[in-house]
Amino acid sequence: GAVVSQHPSWVICKSGTSVKIECRSLDFQATTMFWYRQFPKKSLMLMATSNEGSKATYEQGVEKDKFLINHASLTLSTLTVTSAHPEDSSFYICSARLLAGSSYNEQFFGPGTRLTVL
Amino acid sequence: KQEVTQIPAALSVPEGENLVLNCSFTDSAIYNLQWFRQDPGKGLTSLLLIQSSQREQTSGRLNASLDKSSGRSTLYIAASQPGDSATYLCAPRGGADGLTFGKGTHLIIQP
């Protein structure tokens, strides 16, 4: 149980285009999902917290107009990188928080999406 | 702002050894702390979750301890195997919902 999927697993795009990444909780409902970014040999950094049915909360330094987050259902959150540039190339990972049972507050992570902007 | 430090940054040992990975964090006001492993180019696999009221958690060959007041956690790996090779990350959860990660310990278990 507690499986989180991401799609696509990798994407290559031209500079200036927009890219949408999906994060799904497959076997549980998640009112809260999180988006992280990981640059090579660096720590994962939280970008934003996504709550179902409300606006996302962005971390300091993360442009909300550039990284659009939509959490329309209890099992799906999307991250759209708008007008992507080479410096946006990174590994994007989502996580979902399990609410029920003994694993309350535990976060389960998706497999990540490798974005390369040419 | 929470800062997480993991020591050592890298470790290479022959299989069979018992290992201790260290994690320290600056803000002790945490709700819980998770340990993860990350394989190259992959997402994170949750290993253990310790609530702030707990002192340790065990899962198989893994044992994690938490000393919240001193801002420290350790991950103990018993009888290491080549399949344990990965980067191990600790992440305390503070007042905000998201996790703060250290840079990890890159572990290589030699066959």
Side-chain angles (χ1 to χ4, degrees):
Chain A
V3 178
V4 177
S5 71
Q6 280 184 243
H7 178 80
S9 56
W10 60 270
V11 58
I12 301 173
C13 68
K14 293 182 178 180
S15 183
T17 60
S18 295
V19 175
K20 179 185 285 188
I21 303 170
E22 293 185 349
C23 176
R24 293 181 186 271
S25 55
L26 298 185
D27 49 3
F28 66 99
Q29 293 183 332
T31 56
T32 304
M33 290 184 173
F34 307 89
W35 288 95
Y36 295 82
R37 179 168 54 183
Q38 185 178 34
F39 292 106
K41 300 188 185 299
K42 301 291 185 182
S43 303
L44 278 80
M45 297 296 292
L46 178 67
M47 298 175 65
T49 301
S50 168
N51 291 297
E52 185 266 338
S54 63
K55 291 183 178 181
T57 302
Y58 291 81
E59 295 299 300
Q60 189 173 9
V62 179
E63 301 174 57
K64 63 179 181 180
D65 294 329
K66 181 170 183 63
F67 298 99
L68 301 179
I69 292 173
N70 183 281
H71 193 160
S73 78
L74 289 172
T75 60
L76 173 64
S77 176
T78 61
L79 169 67
T80 301
V81 184
T82 63
S83 186
H85 290 283
E87 57 266 30
D88 298 322
S89 299
S90 187
F91 193 51
Y92 292 86
I93 308 177
C94 73
S95 72
R97 189 171 65 186
L98 186 65
L99 295 181
S102 61
S103 297
Y104 182 73
N105 278 335
E106 187 168 1
Q107 289 191 26
F108 295 90
F109 283 75
T113 297
R114 175 76 59 192
L115 170 63
T116 301
V117 184
L118 302 177
Chain B
K1 179 184 175 184
Q2 180 75 274
E3 293 183 4
V4 180
T5 303
Q6 290 189 244
I7 295 173
L11 184 62
S12 180
V13 299
E15 68 175 306
E17 288 200 6
N18 300 323
L19 308 170
V20 176
L21 308 183
N22 297 291
C23 170
S24 62
F25 46 95
T26 55
D27 186 350
S28 61
I30 63 171
Y31 289 108
N32 58 47
L33 183 144
Q34 276 184 263
W35 280 92
F36 299 88
R37 69 173 280 168
Q38 184 177 29
D39 293 286
K42 304 292 185 181
L44 276 65
T45 300
S46 180
L47 298 173
L48 290 163
L49 168 71
I50 310 178
Q51 300 293 351
S52 61
S53 58
Q54 298 175 320
R55 297 286 291 182
E56 65 178 82
Q57 279 284 344
T58 298
S59 176
R61 294 182 294 108
L62 304 178
N63 175 277
S65 67
L66 174 64
D67 185 343
K68 180 182 165 184
S69 60
S70 67
R72 295 182 181 180
S73 178
T74 60
L75 178 67
Y76 178 82
I77 303 176
S80 58
Q81 302 171 358
D84 295 332
S85 298
T87 296
Y88 288 81
L89 301 164
C90 82
R93 182 198 159 200
D97 280 337
L99 301 177
T100 302
F101 286 87
K103 291 186 177 180
T105 293
H106 181 56
L107 177 63
I108 296 175
I109 307 298
Q110 305 154 13

